[in-house]
Amino acid sequence: MNHLVPLPVVMPLLGAALTLLLASRPRAQRWVSLTVLTATVAVAATLLVRSSIDGPLVVEVGGWVAPLGIVLVADQLAALMLVVSASVTLCVLVYSIGQGMADGHEETPLSVYHPTYLVLTAGVCNAFLSGDLFNLYVGFEILLVASYVLLTLGSTETRIRAGTTYVVVSLLSSLIFLVAIGLVYSATGTLNLAQLVDRLDALPDDLRLVLQGMLLLAFGIKAAVFPLSAWLPDSYPTAPAPVTAVFAGLLTKVGVYAIIRTETLLFPGGRTADLLLVVAALTMLVGILGAVAQSDIKRLLSFTLISHIGYMLFGVGLSSSLGLAAAIFYVVHHITIQTTLFLAAGLVERRGGSTALDRLGGLARLSPLLAVLFFVPALNLAGIPPFSGFLGKLGLVQAGVDDGGVLAWVLVAGGLLTSLLTLYAIARVWNLAFWRRPHPEMPEPQDSVHTVRTDGVEQPYQGPDRDAHPGAMLPRLMIAPTVALVVLGLGLTVVAGPLFDLSSDAADDLLRRTPYVEAVYPGGTP
């Protein structure tokens, strides 16, 4: 099955090239993108099954033997991340297609969107599979360049301003990462992760700590951990709903994945464990306090996104098998739930004309289905039993109690407080946007509107004299993928036992390190 390893990267890149050639044929673009991402989900699932049975799967790119060439490694952690990320990107793509068809192609630059979206997917997959620090950098740059385009779709003043901030911060983190790569290569003579295991262990402790700190700083910016997270709430909410959803679900988690990979494989021993625990506590509390203070649903969700990154750092900082397993489980949960909530926020904006809480009301009566689509993942995010959010937090709390240290107990208390404040924040959204009486300025539902025929499909008229959002009926192609993600989030609860077992196996392999190294170098590292 090793030949399948490059496909999650290669297929989206080839699909991007094909959709670019089909720029004048939107329908063909849509089918190519859907086919490519569906195939990517299937390949990722196959890699997860095979890596669980056979151990890490390795491919030497171009036939160049490591460490001269770049290797792609699909172990259980990488394969699990591939499955959940590919599933989420597929659902968001369907949502964006539904939005584009409903809004009219004049308002949605599909010829740019599909190639860029597939390039973003390829970058994410490359980052997960990379067995080389420089190739990890390349994966980050691929997804970041694509994200620059997606973030500024429509070229509005707000999006350009937010995109500028995002670009500056991303370039800074990339520069720090590149400098760290140069220092690592200068000190060890290699960038291959498996080979670095032995060579970094042989370095003086102070030098190792400097290298570790540089990488943590670069990945911390990408993961939006406190105090490196101020850019996120001003950047993500300005983008189109599907773009915001995929950004919130995936981009910060690639940074978290890089932290997990490097901290366990390259820098075991917990020298930065206390620092990670302190940062985790601050990320949780500052993030959720920011969420409580917001009056816009998208910004509120952006702050909860920052806050819950702290739970993942909590598990990594504990440096235990249970803590790491709970962190991996929570990453899978959070990718799914956070994406779902941002898609639901896009539906709220479409139905209510705004995501500002002071301009919404009565959505539970006007659209009961929309109320359910927000309510279920919101409870899951808050960690209400028996949802997967509760199970992930329970694993982290148990790991913290088992650790018994002062900082671990502080994190346990901080995690519980953050969970309560998350419940308060989403309850506030529910009361103001869904439960109270409709706001006087909210539009009435548009049950029948003038339609036009585009590409053989009847669509609501979206000319210059009509706003595409207020009062618009929710398109089925936007509802269906949101429902699918809600069901997937509930499914995580149903399969929580096997999923946690898989996360535990992945955590054990990460902490032992030998399965990864032996897969890349069966005869031992040179």
Side-chain angles (χ1 to χ4, degrees), residues 125-486:
C125 294
N126 186 62
F128 288 146
L129 291 170
S130 179
D132 179 279
L133 269 184
F134 187 76
N135 192 44
L136 178 60
Y137 171 81
V138 171
F140 272 116
E141 291 308 296
I142 291 173
L143 69 91
L144 288 175
V145 169
S147 67
Y148 302 155
V149 178
L150 294 174
L151 189 63
T152 55
L153 283 179
S155 301
T156 64
E157 181 180 352
T158 303
R159 290 177 184 175
I160 294 297
R161 186 185 302 113
T164 301
T165 302
Y166 179 77
V167 168
V168 171
V169 172
S170 298
L171 289 177
L172 176 61
S173 66
S174 296
L175 178 61
I176 295 172
F177 189 14
L178 193 59
V179 171
I181 288 174
L183 293 176
V184 169
Y185 187 79
S186 177
T188 64
T190 184
L191 295 174
N192 181 274
L193 293 178
Q195 196 174 22
L196 282 171
V197 170
D198 291 333
R199 298 198 179 183
L200 284 173
D201 287 346
L203 294 178
D205 288 345
D206 290 344
L207 179 56
R208 290 181 70 246
L209 186 60
V210 170
L211 298 177
Q212 185 178 10
M214 290 286 290
L215 291 173
L216 273 178
L217 179 60
F219 299 146
I221 296 174
K222 297 179 185 298
V225 303
F226 181 84
L228 309 172
S229 56
W231 58 271
L232 190 149
D234 292 328
S235 300
Y236 284 10
T238 63
V243 174
T244 302
V246 79
F247 279 18
L250 289 180
L251 296 197
T252 53
K253 307 313 181 300
V254 179
V256 172
Y257 168 85
I259 291 175
I260 294 174
R261 179 68 72 187
T262 54
E263 286 297 297
T264 55
L265 187 63
L266 303 184
F267 303 104
R271 290 198 66 187
T272 60
D274 289 350
L275 174 62
L276 283 174
L277 291 178
V278 171
V279 170
L282 292 173
T283 303
M284 284 184 193
L285 295 176
V286 174
I288 198 59
L289 289 175
V292 169
Q294 299 307 307
S295 59
D296 182 271
I297 297 177
K298 286 185 177 181
R299 284 186 62 84
L300 185 149
L301 291 177
S302 296
F303 276 99
T304 63
L305 166 61
I306 294 171
S307 176
H308 287 242
I309 295 295
Y311 285 103
M312 305 165 205
L313 293 182
F314 178 18
V316 178
L318 290 174
S319 303
S320 65
S321 179
L322 177 57
L324 193 57
I328 294 171
F329 181 93
Y330 204 82
V331 170
V332 174
H333 149 81
H334 199 256
I335 289 174
T336 307
I337 299 306
Q338 198 75 47
T339 304
T340 309
L341 284 171
F342 272 100
L343 292 185
L347 295 175
V348 168
E349 183 176 25
R350 188 171 195 88
R351 176 59 192 86
S354 175
T355 53
L357 293 176
D358 58 359
R359 297 181 59 187
L360 294 171
L363 287 175
R365 180 179 64 84
L366 297 176
S367 181
L369 177 58
L370 175 56
V372 173
L373 294 180
F374 180 86
F375 187 70
V376 173
L379 290 182
N380 204 336
L381 182 71
I384 300 299
F387 294 120
S388 57
F390 168 76
L391 299 174
K393 292 172 185 175
L394 182 62
L396 290 168
V397 168
Q398 183 179 344
V401 171
D402 291 346
D403 181 277
V406 175
L407 278 177
W409 277 106
V410 170
L411 262 297
V412 169
L416 295 176
L417 178 60
T418 300
S419 188
L420 290 174
L421 289 175
T422 302
L423 180 59
Y424 168 76
I426 62 104
R428 181 165 166 265
V429 173
W430 176 261
N431 288 333
L432 295 178
F434 290 89
W435 196 247
R436 69 175 177 179
R437 291 181 178 180
H439 191 276
E441 296 181 5
M442 280 188 61
E444 291 298 322
Q446 302 288 339
D447 293 317
S448 60
V449 297
H450 175 60
T451 61
V452 294
R453 192 170 186 83
T454 305
D455 292 336
V457 179
E458 288 290 335
Q459 303 178 33
Y461 173 66
Q462 305 296 342
D465 59 336
R466 173 178 167 80
D467 189 346
H469 295 292
M473 300 301 292
L474 302 178
R476 293 179 181 179
L477 276 182
M478 295 175 70
I479 289 288
T482 311
V483 171
L485 283 178
V486 171

